[in-house]
Amino acid sequence: MKKRFAVWTAGIYIVYALIMGLYLFWWADTGVPASYQGTAADPATFMTDRELQLSQEYSRYQSMMFFLGLPLEWVIYLGVMVLGISKVFKKFGERVSRFSWINIPIYVLLLSALTWIVTFPFDFIRRSLSINYGIGTQSFSGWMRDQMISFWISTLIMAVLITVLYVLIRRFEKRWWLYAWMLLVPFLIFMMYIQPVVIDPLYNDFSRLSNPQLEEKILDLAEQADIPADRVYEVDMSEKTNAMNAYVNGIGSNLRIVLWDTTLNKLNENEVLFIMAHEIGHYVKNHLFWMLAGSIAVTFVGMYLGYRLFHAAIRKWGDAWGVKRVTDIASLPALLLIFSLLSFIVSPIELTISRGAEKSADEYAIEMTGDTEAAVGSFQQLTVTALSDVHPPALVKYLRYGHPTMMERISMLESHQGSSNE
């Protein structure tokens, strides 16, 4: 069975990779539609021939890496079960300690380490592409430091969550999913609260915006939107990337308005103000709140479906995997596989909703600033700097893009300018 699993998995993966390669590099239509040609949304009007070529190459390679990495987590979890690795991890943890609050975190650490090792080459290739195409600027040592921080933070959080989860499964075998969801709700809110002040500073240095005049103008925009902010933060990202970004995150007293220094260096003042108006639009339209509410609702459904599928999977394949009951920690990869597949299934819907929210924030920003030239200029510069594909293949858009394409965003701004001039 183990040999057959390895052969079939390798064969299916190779066929899948070939199909995705053909789709991205030969079959997909990435040309500019006739209706957009010659407009401000046409990349030929604001990018050089070399930039256009690099944009197409970089976007395709990054999308290829995304699709190659997409099923990898599923293969790891299934392989750990089928090949008996899960039982080995479980026995090792039990040899260290008979207490669940010790042996379960050890199991999670081993599984996380294996997953990190297997996926590391894909992360490294993505980083290399970013460096080679002039997007990334971070040294390998700095990148590895961030990788290690991410690994230990995610492993620590996962160890706590999984330990609590299996305690619930063992005490409430038929209701664990409901109690787990009830505990997850305050956890999600807590993570949103501590993210800006505890987790983000582990990766970057935050300081007060170095341009006081610009800060005052941004805070004026925030005041118009009733955002309770008394300062704007600047984060030093130029040592890691040439890409640009800005955001408003956190809740309550921990809410922060943040600008990457690359955004400040590459955009003029009016363009920066438009970008910030867009981020403020998310706050005004309660997108953060609705995102949280949506996550809570989706998690409720996902936990219930996961519970049903998890119990069914253990009943059907548990003997072959050497797992007798759902209470056995060795069943964890099966549960993670189910949750990962459910997350993938719902992701196109989540991305569609996200694109709608981003369009709404764009509309708010252009109404707030009224500066179409700055708005279009900021998006064009974002496209050039990040070598973005303004018109990606449909599959890429619906599985990767949480924003409308740049072609759609710039076209909307041009339409706004046309309607304003009438």
Side-chain angles (χ1 to χ4, degrees), residues 23-24 27-33 43 56 60 389-394 407:
Y23 173 75
L24 292 172
W27 297 341
D29 179 16
T30 57
V32 177
Q56 287 291 314
R60 286 172 177 170
D389 188 351
V390 299
H391 185 55
M407 186 171 288

Side-chain angles (χ1 to χ4, degrees), residues 254-265:
N254 283 0
L255 184 139
R256 283 189 171 185
I257 300 175
V258 180
L259 273 166
W260 286 10
D261 63 335
T262 50
T263 305
L264 295 168
N265 295 337

Side-chain angles (χ1 to χ4, degrees), residues 22 166 276 353:
L22 289 170
Y166 270 82
M276 292 314 304
I353 294 172

Side-chain angles (χ1 to χ4, degrees), residues 228-343:
D230 59 1
R231 67 175 59 188
V232 178
Y233 289 87
E234 179 180 338
V235 56
D236 182 12
M237 288 296 295
S238 55
E239 63 179 18
K240 295 184 178 183
T241 181
N242 284 317
M244 297 181 286
N245 197 15
Y247 56 88
V248 177
N249 73 339
I251 56 176
S253 59
N254 283 0
L255 184 139
R256 283 189 171 185
I257 300 175
V258 180
L259 273 166
W260 286 10
D261 63 335
T262 50
T263 305
L264 295 168
N265 295 337
K266 297 177 184 296
L267 299 183
N268 63 42
E269 184 175 281
N270 289 335
E271 290 170 343
V272 170
L273 290 174
F274 172 79
I275 294 297
M276 292 314 304
H278 167 93
E279 299 304 329
I280 288 171
H282 284 306
Y283 179 88
V284 171
K285 293 179 176 291
N286 296 313
H287 291 158
L288 293 176
F289 169 79
W290 288 113
M291 179 182 69
L292 176 61
S295 296
I296 291 172
V298 169
T299 302
F300 178 83
V301 176
M303 291 298 290
Y304 176 71
L305 291 177
Y307 154 75
R308 302 291 296 187
L309 294 171
F310 181 45
H311 283 252
I314 298 303
R315 283 196 301 269
K316 185 167 185 176
W317 295 295
D319 289 340
W321 294 337
V323 178
K324 301 298 183 181
R325 296 177 60 84
V326 295
T327 55
D328 188 346
I329 186 60
S331 66
L332 176 61
L335 182 60
L336 295 178
L337 172 61
I338 290 168
F339 282 147
S340 181
L341 288 170
L342 290 173
S343 177

Side-chain angles (χ1 to χ4, degrees), residues 358-383:
E358 295 297 336
K359 179 182 178 182
S360 175
D362 285 345
E363 291 169 346
Y364 175 88
I366 193 60
E367 291 291 342
M368 187 181 207
T369 63
D371 193 340
T372 305
E373 182 180 350
V376 171
S378 66
F379 282 164
Q380 289 178 337
Q381 187 60 43
L382 281 167
T383 303

